[in-house]
Amino acid sequence: MSTLSEAYRDLPHHPRHVIPLDFDSVRTLPDSHVWPPTSHAFESEDRLSIPTVDLTDPDAGKLIGHACEAWGAFQVTNHDIPLDLFHEVESEARRLFSLPTGQKLKALRSPGGATGYGLARISPFFNKYMWHEGFTIMGSSIDHARDLWPNDYQRFCDVMEDYQKKLKELARTLMHLVLKSLDISEEEISRVVSAGGDSTALQLNSYPLCPDPNRAMGLAPHTDTSLVTILHQSTVNGLQIFKEGVGWVLVSPTNGSLVVNVGDLLHILSNAKFPSVLHRVVMKDQNQQRLSLAYFYCLPSDFHISPLALSSTQMPLYRSVSVRDYIGIKAKNLEKALSLIRI
Ligand SMILES: C=C1C[C@]23C[C@@]1(O)CC[C@H]2[C@@]12CCC[C@@](C)(C(=O)O1)[C@H]2[C@@H]3C(=O)O
Ligand SMILES: O=C(O)CCC(=O)C(=O)O
Ligand SMILES: [Fe+2]
């Protein structure tokens, strides 16, 4: 099978778009990291937020379908992932990001690589840097973990493996419900869901304490490339999603619940019925480090993706494209990628 990491291998980045700042040594926000003010977002007091779906609700599938159509995102509760596991993964992520910069650079994502420590892949599209550092895992994290902690890497690997295993199960359950709500046949559902199995990535995100948070940007607006992304946020606010006709809406962390984002691949499969959601992370008033864990459920790079479940009167809006080609188009065109494969 053609792995996801292989799809990123031929898309090298210049080191200035991979190497994060030495955050510990900076006392004032460098001009390279100053962003124009961000627009006001609707806060939770405005009572406008993405829907929450209880996975044990017999109507969960229908509710998820509505949420994907109206918002491109929802929160999920009663997902069966133990709270302790989030704490363990977060604590290992904290251990990683609190290493001295020189040590973290030993696990730097290589120019043609997909995994390891570094800036977000969307970095080259912006003329300012984000206040962000990330660590990408695809499958085993042992090679990078050994570079970081030559004598003490096993715990990190075990915790990350356990998390990926549990998140894969949850992603499969969610994908079943999502595709069923689109009226896709059981056969097609199994074809998509079983193909996704090994094409996943876990991204640990850190937004360090910032000397001037109101002028910095955590993660610039983007959509994810995945089918779905399952996100766990630490207790610190920052994530906002964009809703057409409304603007930026804050998604506050709620204990134990997970945010699910529709990604570009599901946008294509659903013929734009479930639009991939534009989101960003702002640093506004942030007075402590923020962490998040993003699990991307994708498809193998040789999978050919095209709109499914079209009625006899519907026309496909997107041409068939391999995941590898779509990732390549996105790496060059970012937010224009979907329009470039539109029929
Ligand atoms: C599978 C992946 C999705 C991702 C690129 C990656 O190879 C691993 C990192 C992911 C991430 C996380 C931050 C935002 C994002 C746009 C980026 O720059 O790297 C996503 C990528 C994506 O969804 O395209
Ligand atoms: O940190 C967050 O809340 C969002 C992270 C994100 O959007 C991503 O990793 O793609
Ligand atoms: Fe994202």
Side-chain angles (χ1 to χ4, degrees), residues 132 203 205 207 219 222 224 229 231-233 238-239 261 279-281 290-294 296:
H132 168 267
Q203 167 89 2
N205 292 306
Y207 308 87
L219 199 54
H222 66 279
D224 296 339
T229 304
L231 183 83
H232 181 267
Q233 332 179 49
L239 175 65
N261 287 342
H279 54 288
R280 67 181 183 186
V281 176
R290 177 174 186 274
L291 292 176
S292 75
L293 319 169
F296 301 88

Side-chain angles (χ1 to χ4, degrees), residues 4 8 114 120-122 136 138 201 203 205 219 222-226 296 298 330:
L4 197 57
Y8 286 95
R121 296 196 75 92
I122 52 174
T136 311
M138 291 179 182
Q203 167 89 2
N205 292 306
L219 199 54
H222 66 279
T223 60
D224 296 339
T225 309
S226 55
F296 301 88
C298 304
K330 190 153 180 189

Side-chain angles (χ1 to χ4, degrees), residues 30-74:
D31 183 55
S32 53
H33 288 68
V34 176
W35 288 64
T38 53
S39 50
H40 164 83
F42 286 82
E43 311 273 339
S44 31
E45 305 91 74
D46 299 320
R47 293 181 183 281
L48 189 68
S49 192
I50 56 173
T52 296
V53 179
D54 176 346
L55 254 199
T56 58
D57 185 330
D59 280 335
K62 213 163 79 193
L63 297 170
I64 288 175
H66 288 151
C68 290
E69 196 168 345
W71 290 81
F74 58 94

Side-chain angles (χ1 to χ4, degrees), residues 71-102:
W71 290 81
F74 58 94
Q75 304 226 44
V76 62
T77 58
N78 279 320
H79 43 64
D80 236 16
I81 310 230
L83 273 183
D84 281 355
L85 184 57
F86 297 125
H87 296 146
E88 281 173 52
V89 181
E90 229 176 72
S91 137
E92 286 302 302
R94 217 174 279 285
R95 182 159 82 100
L96 188 163
F97 291 118
S98 58
L99 287 169
T101 302

